[in-house]
Amino acid sequence: MDLSLTTQTYGVDDQSWLGSEHGTQATEPVTLDTSAFTAGTHYPDGYFKSGIPLGVITATGKYGPYQGDATDGRETLVGFLFAAVKAPTVNTVDPAGAMLVHGKVRTSRLPVAVDAAGQADVPLIRFI
């Protein structure tokens, strides 16, 4: 048994992109493919930001950042990372998270912009 003193640091989560409480109680579990994200954009402070638009990578079934011009499945928006997730120190570890798949989203508050094509991919999300 290890009784040594340890320190845990937590990030501050900004969920101001949520337009309502609707859908927050029915998120879906996802596994993030860390290698698909860019550290400076998606987790500059060591946490994947909540509100990151997600697409599913067809070959692995894991989730990466939505990218309209991708060709690996991420070109289709499927939801948004609901809460911040601690990023691993190496990009070969893939953490779990939760994804918002229906509800309201404030586009001006998203950490990464979503184009009109992406918005059309998710009919259960209302963009305000």
Side-chain angles (χ1 to χ4, degrees):
M1 175 170 40
D2 182 11
L3 297 176
S4 61
L5 182 62
T6 61
T7 302
Q8 179 72 35
T9 304
Y10 295 93
V12 177
D13 196 10
D14 178 9
Q15 290 187 322
S16 64
W17 59 273
L18 287 168
S20 72
E21 182 183 337
H22 181 76
T24 62
Q25 299 298 318
T27 59
E28 294 186 9
V30 295
T31 300
L32 303 176
D33 183 342
T34 304
S35 66
F37 291 87
T38 304
T41 303
H42 301 112
Y43 57 100
D45 57 358
Y47 289 84
F48 292 102
K49 296 178 180 183
S50 72
I52 293 176
L54 299 174
V56 63
I57 300 168
T58 308
T60 63
K62 295 178 184 177
Y63 292 77
Y66 164 77
Q67 189 175 335
D69 60 355
T71 58
D72 60 0
R74 294 180 300 125
E75 67 274 11
T76 303
L77 179 66
V78 295
F80 294 87
L81 187 62
F82 175 65
V85 173
K86 184 162 178 52
T89 56
V90 294
N91 72 358
T92 56
V93 176
D94 297 326
M99 181 174 65
L100 181 82
V101 294
H102 71 278
K104 292 181 185 177
V105 169
R106 289 187 172 99
T107 55
S108 65
R109 300 289 188 130
L110 288 171
V112 179
V114 176
D115 59 17
Q119 291 181 21
D121 290 339
V122 284
L124 297 179
I125 293 179
R126 183 172 162 218
F127 294 89
I128 55 175

